[in-house]
Amino acid sequence: MNEFDFIRRYLQRQPSDSDVVLGIGDDAAIVRPQPGYDLCFSSDMLLKGRHFFADVAPEDLAWKVLAVNLSDMAAMGARPRWVLLSAALPELDEAWLAHFCDSLFALAAQHGVALIGGDTTRGDLVFNVTIIGELPQGQGLRRDAAQVGDDIWVSGRVGLAAAALNSRLKNCVLPPEAAPECEAALLRPIPRVALGRALLPVARAAQDISDGLAQDIGHILKASGVGAELWADSLPTLPALKQHLGRAQWLAYTLAGGDDYELVFTAAPEHREAVSVAAEAAGTQVTRVGRINGSGGLQIVDAAHQDITLTSLGFDHFG
Ligand code: ADP
Ligand code: MG
């Protein structure tokens, strides 16, 4: 099988989307956005050894490659529509690629997303997805929109993926009852697309948590020129994990672990009910974990309102 057989056999599936004017097979793809919508673009790259283990199952890898990009659309409140996939592959292993592509197309179908192009080259397992979504004109959950007095909310649960990663790195031992959920969080994060879209008329600022909650919320604070108080013991967790891990470890994974792909967002207190309705409609749990204030910085406190200091706020590739 050569590069072109691979593209034809595995990637050139009929786009189910009528807004794809020209899909895979030409020099470039053509899509037609709906009138009245803005286009929203993002890309995310995953490298072997940096973002995933070399022995990861192709199904899990494909899921994550696409899910992290869908998560960026979720964080904007956008409807994901089209993706481009660039892949550096060490070889064209048909069985591996069949599993990879089946998983990729299954997740894409779940979200009504069409693969419209990309690039394939030989290399040591790198994937880059570019995703394009639609937003009603002028709307979008931006990082610079938080206001003093806003509630801070988090979707799902945080710290599970970091716990699984650290268990693999032998930094901690997971309690057996928590291990499967932590592993799933690491390998198959669920992009909160429905929640993001439901929050579009309700929330102010939002972002997805990829590098650690404390660091990622810091981006909202900086962009919005505000500060915040974050209630560490209100953070949604897996109770078995919180009980089993040491306090410092639990705090580190939950506040600074990363790879959560949950949404952190702010909304005015008068919208509490509307946030709950949106979360229910999206089938995703949300938890109120803090408050935006005018302090200009991030203060993390425990249940007794004592300050918590972290040695690291999150992951930085060059930190
Ligand atoms: P070009 O030489 O013009 O870059 P290619 O031969 O690289 O074209 O690709 C041929 C077609 O296959 C293009 O439509 C391209 O978008 C698509 N394609 C190549 N690699 C991928 C991939 N990994 N995923 C999706 N589409 C791909
Ligand atoms: Mg090319």
Side-chain angles (χ1 to χ4, degrees):
M1 186 171 70
N2 67 26
E3 178 190 332
F4 306 102
D5 299 328
F6 166 59
I7 293 169
R8 208 169 346 96
R9 268 187 241 162
Y10 289 94
L11 299 175
Q12 207 164 11
R13 306 193 185 184
Q14 203 61 30
S16 53
D17 186 324
S18 57
D19 294 333
V20 178
V21 180
L22 183 61
I24 290 174
D26 213 306
D27 294 306
I30 305 176
V31 296
R32 184 162 300 153
Q34 298 179 77
Y37 284 76
D38 291 334
L39 294 179
C40 178
F41 295 75
S42 178
S43 32
D44 246 326
M45 183 153 75
L46 275 80
L47 278 75
K48 183 181 88 178
R50 183 154 289 273
H51 300 95
F52 57 89
F53 291 102
D55 64 352
V56 66
E59 298 87 338
D60 291 336
L61 181 56
W63 174 286
K64 190 145 182 181
V65 164
L66 182 55
V68 301
N69 281 277
L70 290 166
S71 178
D72 281 322
M73 292 290 112
M76 299 304 293
R79 175 187 172 199
R81 299 296 313 274
W82 307 288
V83 289
L84 296 114
L85 169 73
S86 292
L89 305 166
E91 58 182 337
L92 294 178
D93 174 337
E94 286 215 42
W96 194 95
L97 288 168
H99 286 119
F100 182 93
C101 292
D102 283 348
S103 175
L104 185 85
F105 280 102
L107 181 58
Q110 269 183 34
H111 290 275
V113 165
L115 179 68
I116 58 167
D119 201 18
T120 307
T121 160
R122 195 188 283 268
D124 197 16
L125 219 50
V126 178
F127 295 93
N128 182 72
V129 166
T130 298
I131 191 160
I132 306 161
E134 285 180 334
L135 278 165
Q137 246 170 47
Q139 295 187 42
L141 302 174
R142 299 162 50 134
R143 294 181 182 182
D144 62 5
Q147 289 183 21
V148 172
D150 278 2
D151 293 322
I152 302 172
W153 299 81
V154 167
S155 70
R157 289 174 303 201
V158 283
L160 279 63
L165 176 66
N166 279 283
S167 145
R168 288 191 181 211
L169 298 174
K170 309 256 179 278
N171 295 328
C172 72
V173 178
L174 296 179
E177 66 271 33
E181 278 176 275
C182 293
E183 275 289 304
L186 178 65
L187 295 176
R188 298 222 176 191
I190 297 170
R192 302 301 187 188
V193 174
L195 178 65
R197 292 182 67 190
L199 287 173
L200 194 55
V202 178
R204 285 210 176 98
Q207 99 147 67
D208 70 329
I209 308 170
S210 54
D211 296 327
L213 172 60
Q215 176 166 295
D216 287 336
I217 203 172
H219 299 314
I220 290 181
L221 304 185
K222 190 151 190 225
S224 301
V226 294
E229 184 180 278
L230 193 63
W231 312 319
D233 286 297
S234 297
L235 292 172
T237 187
L238 203 54
L241 199 63
K242 190 172 183 179
Q243 280 154 24
H244 178 90
L245 294 175
R247 174 80 173 162
Q249 226 165 17
W250 180 78
L251 286 170
Y253 299 165
T254 305
L255 283 156
D259 251 356
D260 294 302
Y261 300 102
E262 294 296 347
L263 299 185
V264 55
F265 59 95
T266 82
E270 44 293 10
H271 285 156
R272 265 176 215 168
E273 183 57 30
V275 167
S276 300
V277 169
E280 194 140 322
T284 306
Q285 161 200 323
V286 293
T287 310
R288 204 149 52 80
V289 299
R291 173 78 58 89
I292 297 290
N293 60 32
S295 71
L298 177 65
Q299 184 189 18
I300 306 172
V301 295
D302 65 14
H305 220 269
Q306 297 298 305
D307 280 329
I308 290 171
T309 317
L310 297 170
T311 47
S312 157
L313 292 182
F315 187 74
D316 174 352
H317 283 284
F318 297 97

